[in-house]
Amino acid sequence: MCDKKGFGPVPCAFTGAPDPLTDDEAKAAMKEMCPHLASEAALCCDKDQILEMRSSFEIYGLFLKKCPSCFLNYQKIFCHLYCSPKQNTFAKVLNTTKSEEGKDQIQEIDYFVHNDFVKGIYESCKGVTRFGLKIIDVFCKPWSAEKCNQERMLKYLGADDEHLGHHPFQIDFVFTDKPTYTLGSETFTAANEMTYKCSESANGQPKCECAHCKAAC
């Protein structure tokens, strides 16, 4: 991790191999937040980055924990980006800046995602309410819940402060219906992880409450 900005960690640009995760606290956090990656022998995120990621997720958890499957799906798309050992197959660094320590830190990336993955996240979260408000109103600015769609939601969640968002660096989501995406001479594999419906239990958590998911009633 190079820095902390906005609602999360700013990773350093790194082209080496993923490292084994040995810290018990970080391992436990991965099992809670990113169970699909918890059994990986090595990861592209370290202890500090994982714990900062957990802190940033807790902020969004204030809105999403009433629907565990929505919360897990939301965490998954960022866990996958930060920690997957196959990170370079679905993400491309576009711009970096120098950290205070003189390291190259991420400023902007392309993140190639399959529409099925994005749809699963959106569908599980679109009905969640908190404090009398639809969460999508918060997660899909400047559009309202009525005008939101899966692409607009992800574009806002990946926007940095220069793009009127809160993410610590700019994520340019590239959406595709195909398993791969070719950009110039490079071919990327679109991230397409399993998602949970709001009516399904996820990672040992109960299904969403009826008030937030009609299918769970």
Side-chain angles (χ1 to χ4, degrees), residues 21 36-43 84-86:
L21 185 65
H36 73 296
L37 295 174
S39 62
E40 292 285 354
L43 297 168
S84 172
K86 299 178 181 178

Side-chain angles (χ1 to χ4, degrees), residues 17-212:
D19 291 322
L21 185 65
T22 58
D23 182 82
D24 289 340
E25 183 182 7
K27 286 182 178 180
M30 285 297 293
K31 287 182 180 179
E32 178 185 350
M33 302 182 302
C34 321
H36 73 296
L37 295 174
S39 62
E40 292 285 354
L43 297 168
C44 285
C45 54
D46 60 18
K47 173 188 174 181
D48 290 342
Q49 192 170 353
I50 290 168
L51 298 184
E52 283 293 342
M53 186 166 61
R54 181 176 65 183
S55 295
S56 67
F57 285 162
E58 286 174 353
I59 296 172
Y60 289 102
L62 295 173
F63 299 95
L64 299 179
K65 281 187 176 180
K66 290 290 184 180
C67 188
S69 57
C70 162
F71 190 36
L72 186 64
N73 291 338
Y74 162 79
Q75 291 176 110
K76 182 175 285 190
I77 200 160
F78 292 105
C79 281
H80 203 62
L81 174 62
Y82 281 109
C83 296
S84 172
K86 299 178 181 178
Q87 189 184 77
N88 66 332
T89 66
F90 56 78
K92 178 181 175 63
V93 176
L94 300 178
N95 294 301
T96 61
T97 58
K98 290 292 183 182
S99 69
E100 292 183 358
E101 298 178 350
K103 296 180 180 179
D104 290 328
Q105 65 183 30
I106 302 298
Q107 184 179 36
E108 183 177 10
I109 65 164
D110 276 342
Y111 185 2
F112 301 89
V113 290
H114 197 282
N115 283 327
D116 287 346
F117 187 19
V118 180
K119 181 180 179 180
I121 298 168
Y122 177 73
E123 290 294 327
S124 70
C125 293
K126 68 179 183 180
V128 179
T129 60
R130 184 71 166 163
F131 309 122
L133 299 172
K134 287 187 176 181
I135 295 306
I136 291 297
D137 276 329
V138 178
F139 280 33
C140 202
K141 295 180 180 179
W143 303 279
S144 63
E146 288 71 25
K147 295 180 180 179
C148 189
N149 58 39
Q150 60 199 49
E151 292 189 5
R152 286 177 170 178
M153 182 185 74
L154 265 292
K155 284 180 178 179
Y156 175 70
L157 291 176
D160 63 9
D161 53 2
E162 291 185 6
H163 295 82
L164 306 180
H166 300 289
H167 199 265
F169 58 92
Q170 176 65 22
I171 301 175
D172 299 322
F173 285 98
V174 181
F175 306 99
T176 180
D177 285 321
K178 298 179 180 179
T180 60
Y181 190 98
T182 300
L183 186 66
S185 61
E186 297 177 279
T187 298
F188 296 89
T189 300
N192 190 12
E193 295 299 307
M194 183 183 76
T195 56
Y196 297 93
K197 296 178 181 179
C198 64
S199 57
E200 296 176 329
S201 61
N203 199 29
Q205 298 295 313
K207 64 183 181 180
C208 300
E209 296 178 5
C210 177
H212 309 292

